Amino acid sequence: MYYITNHNDQVIAASSGLLELLEVGSIDALYKQIALDAIEFAAENDGITIKTPLDETHYRVEKEDLSSMLGSMTLVHLVPETSTAATVERPTLPPKAETGKEDDFSLLDDEELFSVKEETEEVQSSVTPAPEAEKKEEDDLFDLILPSSAEETIGKIEDGKTTSNAPVYIDVEKTAQSIGISPEDYNTFLTEYIDTALALEEDLRSDDQGKRTAATHTLFHLSNVLRLPVITEIIEQLKYTEAEDTDSAIQNFYDTLSRLTTARPETEEEEKRTSVETGTDTASENFKSFGTIDLSDVKPIHFDFRVEEAANELSLPTELIEEFIHDFIKQAHEETEKMLKAYEEGDLETIQKIGHLLKGTASNLRINPLSDTLYEIQFCDDPSNLEALIKEYWAHFIAFETQFNLKSKH
């Protein structure tokens, strides 16, 4: 197995064997896992140790300096040694079938710099490669910063509101099949996960940053393996929760954990039959329009925002923050259109959901004026105040967008 680092010692390319061992689908996914501290390449005098929340493996290394169009690089050949015992037991998934294909390099940003292939006759690793499940197309860090829709986030983390008591249904048959295990095994692993979460509560609430980080990483990876997106998102949010909000966020995690159920909910037919019997209509709700909002004449409200400060605070590369901001700007335009439509339809709940969605993203990116106004929209219960709040949000947003676009061109 090989990987390549640039002059800043950042991993920019990795062989497919290494990506498979670390259970990441691409070099981009590996890069972001490293940025999140979920995977660490720890250099030592006699080699390097690759650490994950589940285990760590030590390797002897053979390095070779490379010269490329992008500057000096280093090719690192990993020679496996005996790995340490895994610290947390995880579900055993079916190993990927051997194909006999050569081990190709995956390059960061898909740039065709060069390709290094390992010979199939190379010395076999003494460490059994981690099994690989079918991977869902997702980017952990982007999911943390940019949820894909308001509907996915509302009800999962209710900032400042009473946590929903609605059960969180797990389709055991479907989920177990996607992982490649039996429903019985899945239920066993799910029970073990809940037991592990309960055992780690003290670490999550600890003042020791190392204990909190280890507990968070463990719970994140296990929930990801078990395909528990609601739980995974809450744990992701814990990494960026302000200190004063940590206790409530942890409580929300355990409250949500207690609502997990494998009992199948009523089918749509049963719900319709129930609604007919009770004389209620669950198909739709009647809303009275709040009117229309014209944002074309809104004047920008300027404020200072520095990408570098946000990057430093989040301990992430500036380029990555800029990439997130580009996606946030695109998403804000789309969600604002939905917000205006909901306003015309008198749909207060949808407006609050969109406020919640965008507020979380703005807060994570440290765009505080935007976050503050969106917070007010999220918890606004008086429709007569919405127009002023939406216009104030938009005034901050267009100022931010203009400022960012001007700076990013220089």
Side-chain angles (χ1 to χ4, degrees):
M1 296 182 293
Y2 297 85
Y3 67 90
I4 294 174
T5 61
N6 61 12
H7 64 283
N8 291 324
D9 206 30
Q10 294 175 313
V11 179
I12 61 170
S15 65
S16 58
L18 180 58
L19 295 179
E20 180 178 343
L21 178 66
L22 297 176
E23 298 187 56
V24 292
S26 67
I27 185 62
D28 291 316
L30 174 60
Y31 181 76
K32 294 177 177 67
Q33 289 293 309
I34 294 174
L36 280 170
D37 294 329
I39 296 176
E40 178 184 358
F41 287 64
E44 300 172 356
N45 292 333
D46 59 342
I48 191 166
T49 298
I50 300 180
K51 301 179 181 179
T52 73
L54 302 178
D55 57 26
E56 57 183 60
T57 305
H58 184 77
Y59 298 89
R60 290 184 293 106
V61 297
E62 298 174 357
K63 297 184 178 181
E64 183 175 349
D65 292 333
L66 304 174
S67 180
S68 76
M69 297 295 292
L70 298 180
S72 299
M73 297 183 182
T74 302
L75 174 66
V76 182
H77 178 204
L78 299 176
V79 182
E81 295 181 350
T82 303
S83 64
T84 60
T87 58
V88 178
E89 184 176 311
R90 60 179 170 179
T92 302
L93 308 183
K96 182 178 179 181
E98 294 183 2
T99 61
K101 292 182 180 180
E102 295 176 312
D103 194 7
D104 295 327
F105 259 102
S106 176
L107 298 175
L108 190 60
D109 294 330
D110 296 322
E111 292 181 24
E112 296 293 330
L113 302 178
F114 45 81
S115 178
V116 180
K117 297 186 177 181
E118 293 178 286
E119 296 296 331
T120 56
E121 294 82 14
E122 70 177 319
V123 179
Q124 295 296 316
S125 168
S126 62
V127 181
T128 303
E132 176 176 307
E134 294 181 4
K135 290 292 181 181
K136 184 164 55 176
E137 293 287 339
E138 63 181 11
D139 180 326
D140 292 338
L141 191 52
F142 275 102
D143 288 344
L144 167 63
I145 300 295
L146 297 174
S148 60
S149 69
E151 289 74 11
E152 290 181 1
T153 59
I154 196 73
K156 297 176 182 177
I157 301 177
E158 293 289 344
D159 297 332
K161 288 189 174 183
T162 303
T163 303
S164 169
N165 292 321
V168 179
Y169 172 63
I170 303 172
D171 188 333
V172 174
E173 294 285 344
K174 182 178 179 180
T175 307
Q177 183 179 12
S178 72
I179 296 176
I181 60 177
S182 69
E184 293 76 15
D185 285 342
Y186 183 87
N187 281 323
T188 299
F189 293 138
L190 179 61
T191 300
E192 291 179 356
Y193 176 75
I194 294 174
D195 290 341
T196 299
L198 295 174
L200 289 175
E201 181 173 4
E202 184 176 343
D203 286 354
L204 283 177
R205 299 183 185 275
S206 172
D207 294 331
D208 186 328
Q209 178 65 38
K211 289 184 177 180
R212 291 200 308 274
T213 300
T216 301
H217 286 168
T218 296
L219 293 172
F220 170 80
H221 280 282
L222 291 178
S223 66
N224 201 31
V225 169
L226 291 173
R227 304 291 198 272
L228 302 173
V230 174
I231 298 297
T232 301
E233 181 177 337
I234 293 175
I235 298 171
E236 285 178 326
Q237 291 285 352
L238 274 174
K239 291 178 67 68
Y240 292 91
T241 299
E242 300 295 339
E244 61 270 19
D245 298 325
T246 299
D247 286 342
S248 60
I250 292 174
Q251 188 58 51
N252 182 47
F253 165 68
Y254 285 103
D255 287 343
T256 305
L257 198 67
S258 69
R259 293 189 288 115
L260 295 180
T261 179
T262 57
R264 186 178 298 277
E266 290 184 327
T267 63
E268 290 185 8
E269 290 73 17
E270 291 172 333
E271 291 176 352
K272 290 178 181 179
R273 183 167 59 251
T274 300
S275 66
V276 170
E277 293 172 352
T278 58
T280 59
D281 181 11
T282 59
S284 63
E285 295 184 47
N286 294 321
F287 297 109
K288 183 178 179 181
S289 175
F290 299 145
T292 59
I293 298 178
D294 181 10
L295 299 180
S296 62
D297 60 347
V298 173
K299 304 299 181 185
I301 300 177
H302 296 281
F303 62 93
D304 187 42
F305 174 81
R306 300 182 186 278
V307 174
E308 296 77 10
E309 291 180 1
N312 290 336
E313 190 171 343
L314 294 170
S315 299
L316 294 173
T318 301
E319 296 78 9
L320 202 55
I321 296 297
E322 290 178 343
E323 187 176 348
F324 292 156
I325 292 175
H326 279 298
D327 287 333
F328 169 64
I329 289 174
K330 178 182 177 182
Q331 185 180 43
H333 278 284
E334 295 172 352
E335 295 299 330
T336 300
E337 289 183 9
K338 297 178 184 178
M339 184 186 293
L340 296 179
K341 182 179 179 182
Y343 187 86
E344 292 178 3
E345 297 174 349
D347 188 351
L348 178 60
E349 182 181 0
T350 295
I351 295 173
Q352 292 173 329
K353 289 179 180 180
I354 295 172
H356 169 80
L357 169 71
L358 296 177
K359 183 268 295 182
T361 304
S363 178
N364 284 333
L365 290 172
R366 304 303 190 260
I367 314 172
N368 297 327
L370 272 178
S371 174
D372 293 343
T373 307
L374 288 163
Y375 178 88
E376 294 187 55
I377 293 175
Q378 178 187 351
F379 294 112
C380 178
D381 294 321
D382 185 353
S384 65
N385 294 330
L386 280 174
E387 181 174 1
L389 289 174
I390 292 173
K391 286 187 174 181
E392 182 181 354
Y393 144 69
W394 191 247
H396 282 109
F397 174 77
I398 57 178
F400 170 76
E401 180 182 24
T402 301
Q403 176 188 0
F404 177 74
N405 288 338
L406 287 174
K407 289 185 177 180
S408 63
K409 291 178 181 179
H410 291 83

